[in-house]
Amino acid sequence: ASYHDRDGKVSYRSPGIDLMSTPTDESLRPSIAQSERIRRQIFAAGDIQTTRRLINEGYYLTDETFSAMLKYSGFVPEELVRTYSRGFRRFFQGDPVSGLYILTPLLEASIRHVMKGHGHDVSTFDASSKTQQDMTISRLFDGLRPELVDVFGENIVTDIENVFLSQPGPTIRHEVAHGLMSDGVPFGADSTYAC
């Protein structure tokens, strides 16, 4: 099977399933991605959007509302509480474009924050220039996957991969980071789930 981007370029290929042999993980990825997409649609429409609407009907939300909660979160670095608050406020108030574009890049910072808190080195060292850089989310998932699973659990790590990083999933992080997301996508179920 091949998957195409909005310009018609092949962005992902998956081997077919040979019914005479045991399927490989790679050959099952499209089926898993489709099942996960359906699960996210049900969860986004049934739980997230319903809860978001009920909260908005009963309460006036401000950045301070979210800051009061997020300052106690082990997932949100102290220096990003206000930015996270703004992202959640925008999302909850019905501005998924702002919510998605604010919150998506923060996921990487939060993962590094939690991993550092558990004693893991989340940086790389370039010996030639003698500089040190924070790992990107892709490098974290490629190089520290067992450590991520140890800290977050297999289900959360797999969910982040399926939503933000891996094809044939929605690759939210890639779409946001590289300006590839069309105007309607932030209003969809995958984006709602990502927020």
Side-chain angles (χ1 to χ4, degrees):
S2 63
Y3 296 83
H4 304 263
D5 66 12
R6 66 176 179 221
D7 295 327
K9 297 185 301 269
V10 175
S11 61
Y12 178 76
R13 288 191 188 277
S14 172
I17 296 176
D18 181 359
L19 298 176
M20 302 304 281
S21 63
T22 304
T24 64
D25 288 346
E26 193 60 32
S27 67
L28 291 174
R29 281 202 57 74
S31 297
I32 292 168
Q34 183 173 347
S35 295
E36 282 295 295
R37 186 173 8 270
I38 293 167
R39 181 187 65 82
R40 288 190 300 268
Q41 286 175 333
I42 292 168
F43 188 71
D47 291 346
I48 297 171
Q49 295 292 31
T50 302
T51 302
R52 191 186 64 73
R53 183 180 53 81
L54 290 172
I55 289 171
N56 275 315
E57 288 174 1
Y59 303 97
Y60 176 70
L61 300 173
T62 65
D63 287 355
E64 289 73 28
T65 305
F66 290 101
S67 291
M69 292 185 298
L70 294 173
K71 69 182 180 181
Y72 298 107
S73 170
F75 189 71
V76 177
E78 184 179 336
E79 66 274 9
L80 293 174
V81 167
R82 289 177 166 266
T83 307
Y84 258 105
S85 297
R86 178 62 52 92
F88 281 124
R89 177 179 168 212
R90 295 291 189 218
F91 172 72
F92 268 83
Q93 290 179 331
D95 180 3
V97 175
S98 297
L100 187 67
Y101 277 80
I102 292 170
L103 295 172
T104 298
L106 296 177
L107 175 64
E108 188 172 313
S110 286
I111 291 172
R112 279 195 306 265
H113 172 72
V114 172
M115 293 297 285
K116 283 182 200 175
H118 281 84
H120 297 287
D121 182 11
V122 293
S123 61
T124 60
F125 181 74
D126 182 352
S128 64
S129 65
K130 301 206 182 333
T131 58
Q132 203 168 1
Q133 300 283 326
D134 286 331
M135 287 183 175
T136 64
I137 193 168
S138 299
R139 296 273 312 261
L140 286 167
F141 275 74
D142 288 343
L144 297 176
R145 193 174 199 298
E147 292 85 349
L148 286 165
V149 169
D150 186 49
V151 171
F152 292 104
E154 183 68 41
N155 291 343
I156 291 174
V157 170
T158 300
D159 209 20
I160 290 170
E161 280 178 318
N162 288 343
V163 174
F164 291 94
L165 304 172
S166 299
Q167 288 198 17
T171 61
I172 297 288
R173 182 233 174 244
H174 180 75
E175 297 281 313
V176 168
H178 300 290
L180 299 172
M181 189 172 284
S182 62
D183 288 342
V185 174
F187 297 89
D190 287 328
S191 297
T192 298
Y193 186 87
C195 285

